[in-house]
Amino acid sequence: MNVFPAEFDGAVIPGGCDTCDAEQHIRQDQPGLWSIGIAHDDWCPTWQRIQAQRDHVPGTFRRT
């Protein structure tokens, strides 16, 4: 059973953050497995806070 119709793969939806003009990107990673990512503006304080928190996690979880 698919939760999202296949047409949603690659969809971009405005919003997702209260402090910037973010966009939500929907992607089907494999059949039945979907991901939604939020793309924030670089200047966004929420995004900056997320990045700062990632600096404090073990190295295996850091962005490269």
Side-chain angles (χ1 to χ4, degrees):
M1 176 180 163
N2 279 330
V3 176
F4 294 110
E7 296 82 23
F8 281 7
D9 192 16
V12 177
I13 301 169
C17 179
D18 292 335
T19 55
C20 76
D21 296 322
E23 296 177 330
Q24 300 172 66
H25 296 252
I26 301 175
R27 182 179 72 208
Q28 185 173 20
D29 295 324
Q30 55 184 284
L33 182 62
W34 292 80
S35 65
I36 300 175
I38 299 177
H40 295 265
D41 293 323
D42 290 337
W43 57 264
C44 176
T46 301
W47 177 241
Q48 291 172 2
R49 188 170 49 254
I50 290 167
Q51 294 305 309
Q53 290 171 347
R54 287 182 179 174
D55 289 341
H56 301 310
V57 297
T60 53
F61 294 103
R62 285 202 178 125
R63 289 184 308 123
T64 56

